[in-house]
Amino acid sequence: MIDALAYFCLIVGALLSLSAGVALVRFPDLLSRMHAATKPQALGLLLILAGCALRLRDHLGVMALVAVFQMATAPVAAHMVGRAGYRSGRVRQDLLITDELASEADRP
Amino acid sequence: MIAGRWRDRCVAAAALTVIWTLLWGSFTPLTVIGGLLIAIVVLTVFPLPPVTYAGRVHPLGVLKFAGRFAVDLVVASAQVAALAFRFGSTPRSAVIAVPLRVPSDLGLTLTAEALSLVPGSLIVEVDRERGVLYVHVLGVSDLADVERFRGEVLALERRLVAAFGSPAERTLCRENR
């Protein structure tokens, strides 16, 4: 039973990571790609860690640390990349429905 | 004020010690004391900027927030995964400005972190002085979607404040619904 749950977690996690990879290749611009890099990938990693924890029942502390730091750092990294990309004009304006940041006059 | 700073430092030292023992993977006196010493050295050499935290933790609010966050994380991942495999169309997106009602540093940080992990949103820019988040939204098709999403960001902020906010922040949130 626990093994079945572990296999389920591992397979779904692997599929989510795969979809994150596909999204990275297929999405049109940098900001959309950062979505792919933060969300399915984070949940995929969490599921794989959960699967490993259920299967191995060892190194639980390190796995918890990996999960916590993943959740804490992925948004920050995505923010920094997105911000740098926006400021250097690497955003496809034609794909944006509205851009409320563009009207900020004080933007350097 | 001084007492508050000492409390913050003690919490930080305890957290660092816990991380240290988890990294070693064993709970022995040596790792605990070693971790504590390293935490004290780290906090003395790299002092943290004072984080003003006036609120207190509300267990029920935290549970509500965590439950909703878990659901949102699953929905977000499924949504991005679905978009990745939808061939033939290019996902449209938008950059919207969301002025938060509680412009504290901690509230801003927590909201931004949580936002980046839940459906369709990514922080592009933060205006700390005015407490405005600029959010990139993936998979919107028209302006009605954009307005709906703005409401969702504010709802997330409300749940966070209900979990971690001070009484003043809670009333502020309730009044400007």
Side-chain angles (χ1 to χ4, degrees):
Chain A
M1 181 59 204
I2 290 178
D3 271 356
L5 200 62
Y7 293 144
F8 176 78
C9 284
L10 285 174
I11 289 172
V12 175
L15 285 177
L16 277 173
S17 303
L18 173 71
S19 75
V22 173
L24 268 184
V25 177
R26 285 205 60 236
F27 278 179
D29 68 344
L30 183 137
L31 287 176
S32 311
R33 288 196 172 119
M34 290 321 293
H35 282 274
T38 48
K39 274 157 262 160
Q41 183 269 125
L43 185 64
L45 181 70
L46 288 184
L47 281 174
I48 287 181
L49 283 172
C52 287
L54 286 172
R55 195 80 180 80
L56 301 174
R57 294 185 203 114
D58 198 8
H59 309 295
L60 294 180
V62 179
M63 286 185 197
L65 270 188
V66 172
V68 167
F69 278 109
Q70 172 70 24
M71 303 277 280
T73 53
V76 181
H79 172 199
M80 288 334 281
V81 176
R83 183 171 179 222
Y86 191 94
R87 291 194 170 201
S88 52
R90 301 260 190 283
V91 177
R92 290 266 301 272
Q93 292 289 342
D94 55 318
L95 290 172
L96 292 180
I97 290 173
T98 108
D99 186 355
E100 292 169 6
L101 182 54
S103 55
E104 287 298 302
D106 57 347
R107 194 163 63 84
Chain B
M1 207 55 213
I2 301 291
R5 286 218 58 183
W6 272 107
R7 190 195 61 177
D8 289 350
R9 274 184 198 159
C10 289
V11 170
L16 285 174
T17 311
V18 168
I19 290 175
W20 180 260
T21 46
L22 283 178
L23 274 176
W24 275 104
S26 61
F27 190 80
T28 61
L30 192 65
T31 56
V32 173
I33 292 170
L36 204 58
L37 283 178
I38 288 177
I40 290 167
V41 169
V42 165
L43 287 177
T44 321
V45 178
F46 308 103
L48 292 169
V51 175
T52 47
Y53 181 59
R56 62 186 194 84
V57 179
H58 307 268
L60 195 66
V62 172
L63 272 184
K64 258 189 211 163
F65 169 74
R68 184 61 195 269
F69 181 76
V71 173
D72 277 352
L73 187 62
V74 174
V75 172
S77 305
Q79 184 202 31
V80 176
L83 276 176
F85 286 108
R86 187 187 298 158
F87 292 93
S89 73
T90 321
R92 304 288 306 266
S93 46
V95 175
I96 63 173
V98 185
L100 295 182
R101 290 156 300 192
V102 183
S104 73
D105 280 354
L106 193 68
L108 205 62
T109 312
L110 284 177
T111 314
E113 283 255 339
L115 259 183
S116 287
L117 290 169
V118 302
S121 55
L122 192 79
I123 307 298
V124 181
E125 188 72 81
V126 180
D127 187 333
R128 186 179 156 203
E129 265 85 53
R130 287 184 296 150
V132 182
L133 290 178
Y134 294 93
V135 188
H136 180 257
V137 195
L138 182 70
V140 286
S141 45
D142 51 17
L143 284 175
D145 271 359
V146 169
E147 287 311 314
R148 195 173 47 77
F149 196 84
R150 213 190 298 274
E152 278 179 24
V153 174
L154 291 176
L156 178 87
E157 187 208 6
R158 189 160 60 236
R159 283 198 297 276
L160 261 176
V161 168
F164 301 106
S166 63
E169 291 173 344
R170 282 150 76 89
T171 40
L172 200 68
C173 246
R174 222 173 291 126
E175 280 163 7
N176 308 322
R177 227 160 231 226

